[in-house]
Amino acid sequence: MSISSQAPLPYGHQYRSRFMGNAPTAGNLATAMPLVLSFEANWGVRILMLRGLGLATLVSASGLWLFPSNVADPELSLLKVGVSVLFCVLGLVLMTTRNQSQPPEACFDPVRRELRVLRCDAHGQPKTVLRRSYDTIGGARLNDGAVQLFENDGSLLIEIPLGSTAARSQLRDQLSGAVQLFN
């Protein structure tokens, strides 16, 4: 999973530029700028596996013609042509697979004191899919690699991966005093 404190969405850049214009000092940087975290599945491995499967189907399409068969049987030859064309098209589709979707982002806003999860729509515009005030969050547990946010009844609301210790400490500074932090 990939985490960045830089938002690839236009909303994040606009929001950050408003705060950077004030030129906050290093002491109040954690409370002045929102922390933006993005969710991302391990698409590199998935795409590599799909391309390997596509290569295997392309090789098997040509491998159908390497084995000797009865040339006089027209039904078998027609079946081999159909299967090899199907494997060739499927292999090409799998070889050219790429990730089209934008992962959602979690934005911890210290000014509005809220958590927003943003996802891009079909036109590339960010849309808020979850908005929770810090007051409505029951608690938070900051682990080495992730932050877990809990409801008031103790159930897990969301788990967000953290990529760096700097993001973890900035998030701890933002949430301390507003959300109960668990060990």
Side-chain angles (χ1 to χ4, degrees), residues 10 12 15 20 28 48 52 61 63-64 67 71 73 132 138 141 143 163:
Y15 202 73
M20 292 308 286
N28 64 0
L48 185 65
L64 286 174
F67 296 109
V71 180
D73 191 11
R132 294 290 299 265
R141 178 176 290 131
N143 297 330

Side-chain angles (χ1 to χ4, degrees), residues 14-155:
Q14 292 171 359
Y15 202 73
R16 285 184 179 280
S17 65
R18 274 192 255 156
F19 288 109
M20 292 308 286
N22 297 342
T25 62
N28 64 0
L29 185 65
T31 58
M33 288 179 40
L35 178 64
V36 179
L37 304 171
S38 64
F39 304 89
E40 185 174 329
N42 197 356
W43 274 101
V45 173
R46 290 180 186 181
I47 290 176
L48 185 65
M49 288 175 58
L50 288 175
R51 288 185 180 166
L53 183 62
L55 181 64
T57 56
L58 283 175
V59 169
S60 66
S62 62
L64 286 174
W65 296 99
L66 295 178
F67 296 109
S69 65
N70 189 0
V71 180
D73 191 11
E75 290 89 15
L76 184 60
S77 295
L78 184 61
L79 183 65
K80 283 175 69 173
V81 167
V83 170
S84 64
V85 167
L86 177 72
F87 279 5
C88 185
V89 169
L90 183 65
L92 288 175
V93 166
L94 289 174
M95 290 285 287
T96 58
T97 309
R98 60 187 176 144
N99 184 13
Q100 296 283 338
S101 65
Q102 288 264 342
E105 291 184 339
C107 180
F108 291 90
D109 189 352
V111 175
R112 293 184 180 160
R113 297 175 55 88
E114 67 182 9
L115 162 69
R116 286 186 305 276
V117 177
L118 306 170
R119 170 164 276 208
C120 284
D121 61 3
H123 304 291
Q125 297 297 319
K127 300 292 180 190
T128 303
V129 293
L130 173 71
R131 176 176 283 168
R132 294 290 299 265
S133 173
Y134 286 168
D135 299 335
T136 64
I137 297 174
R141 178 176 290 131
L142 291 155
N143 297 330
D144 291 334
V147 59
Q148 296 174 336
L149 299 173
F150 297 97
E151 296 277 357
N152 286 327
D153 64 355
S155 63

